[in-house]
Amino acid sequence: MNAEKIPDIIIGRLPIYLRALQRMSERGMKTTSSQELGDYVGISAAQIRKDISQFGEFGKQGTGYSIPFLIDKLREILKVNQMWDVVVVGIGDMGHALARYGGFAERGFRVAMIFDVDPAKIGQKVGPFTIEDAANIVDRVRNAQVKLAMVTVPAAAAQLVADKLVQAGVKAILNYAPTVLNVPAGVHVQHIDPSSHLQRMTYYLN
Amino acid sequence: MNAEKIPDIIIGRLPIYLRALQRMSERGMKTTSSQELGDYVGISAAQIRKDISQFGEFGKQGTGYSIPFLIDKLREILKVNQMWDVVVVGIGDMGHALARYGGFAERGFRVAMIFDVDPAKIGQKVGPFTIEDAANIVDRVRNAQVKLAMVTVPAAAAQLVADKLVQAGVKAILNYAPTVLNVPAGVHVQHIDPSSHLQRMTYYLN
């Protein structure tokens, strides 16, 4: 297996498989087939077999996949067999939602710090966190060696925040702001955007 | 062009192109190339040309794409050259964020109604909306002929909400709940999940 050679589009499907397998496991299932997993996630069985086989021989002809084994392998491949600290920048509605979101831990993530620029918000509590002054992002994030961030600031502020995060050593940014971020090579950005998801569905409507 | 034959994976990229083109247009740009658009969205120029050519000859050799023209075409293809009403079910942090999100209109969407089951929330205002009783979803959504919904309820409640929405005639659900929804053929579901986006990036980190 050569990690560099696997298309990003395949990497993007692995979290979807992992999530489905974790749901199956919660329901007490022990094994599954590419057909069953495919029905679950809406991807063809052939595609699933092809994607997974990029990383090794994880299934057996006839008996399918062991769910706990495949979960372990996917967590290892995606490097979420460890906990990753994440910071949240911008504590509006979305930042609140992320700071209090209960679904991160089982997926390998832990919110570590939350920041805002608004003096009225700094020092306020959100769940277990105290909102910190965004002016201190670079020092705080660098010292804590946090590599992941979620950015939920207004579009006009997002690039400046991204620049600070990159300066602090952040390598992956989940961007909720409706704007494109320019980051140096080696820093990854994913854009999360409800409108794009909705548009992918309106295509099919009459 | 035969809409049924175009792979969903291509449809999924069109909103990303459209979003980038709208940002370019805001910056005053009038034309772009597949190379420039590709750099903007992190997708190869060849892939972009191939994706767009599925729908017709929208670019010119040498001069590239007219941004306003390509925006119009993509909006037409994705059917967002009209406004779509959307309902939000579940008015926790995320529901609040969606109800007040300012970025829908330019993408073709308009929140029409918001619902919750909590008697303490029903009747409260969120931005311009009054939280309605989720018990009335079927009648209210059916009468208003809304076809799109965003579901931000706890996982345990999500399937019941989806069933009601389907009964009311909803054809596309954006699911924020960390669970898989079973819906009949002809109803589309997209799952929106920050952990999956983060996992797609941790793969690349050391």
Side-chain angles (χ1 to χ4, degrees), chain B residues 34-49:
Chain B
S34 52
Q35 186 65 53
E36 186 178 47
L37 182 57
D39 292 344
Y40 212 80
V41 298
I43 293 173
S44 77
Q47 183 72 66
I48 288 176
R49 283 194 298 273

Side-chain angles (χ1 to χ4, degrees), chain B residues 3 9 14 51 67 77 81-82 96 104 133 136 143 177-178 188:
Chain B
I9 206 130
L14 301 184
D51 288 352
I67 290 175
I77 292 164
N81 52 349
Q82 57 179 293
H96 266 94
F104 284 128
D133 187 343
N136 303 327
N143 290 341
H188 302 268

Side-chain angles (χ1 to χ4, degrees), chain B residues 168-203:
Chain B
V170 163
K171 297 295 181 196
I173 297 173
L174 183 53
N175 178 29
Y176 284 78
T179 188
V180 172
L181 299 179
N182 298 310
V183 295
V187 178
H188 302 268
V189 175
Q190 284 273 306
H191 197 105
I192 198 161
D193 169 12
S195 298
S196 291
H197 284 275
L198 290 171
Q199 289 181 344
R200 186 175 186 159
M201 297 190 286
T202 52
Y203 172 82

Side-chain angles (χ1 to χ4, degrees), chain A residues 79-156:
Chain A
K79 304 203 180 85
V80 287
N81 52 350
Q82 58 178 294
M83 270 289 176
W84 291 88
D85 282 336
V86 188
V87 300
V88 182
V89 186
I91 311 300
D93 287 324
M94 186 65 70
H96 265 95
L98 292 172
R100 303 205 288 191
Y101 179 56
F104 284 128
E106 66 155 12
R107 309 291 298 282
F109 305 102
R110 174 171 57 202
V111 173
M113 304 170 204
I114 66 176
F115 295 95
D116 204 286
V117 289
D118 181 352
K121 290 185 181 170
I122 294 164
Q124 298 280 315
K125 298 281 281 185
V126 178
F129 305 104
T130 302
I131 301 175
E132 301 188 40
D133 187 342
N136 302 326
I137 284 178
V138 177
D139 282 349
R140 290 280 289 141
V141 171
R142 183 186 282 146
N143 290 341
Q145 300 187 301
V146 180
K147 299 298 174 202
L148 300 175
M150 297 187 281
V151 173
T152 72
V153 302

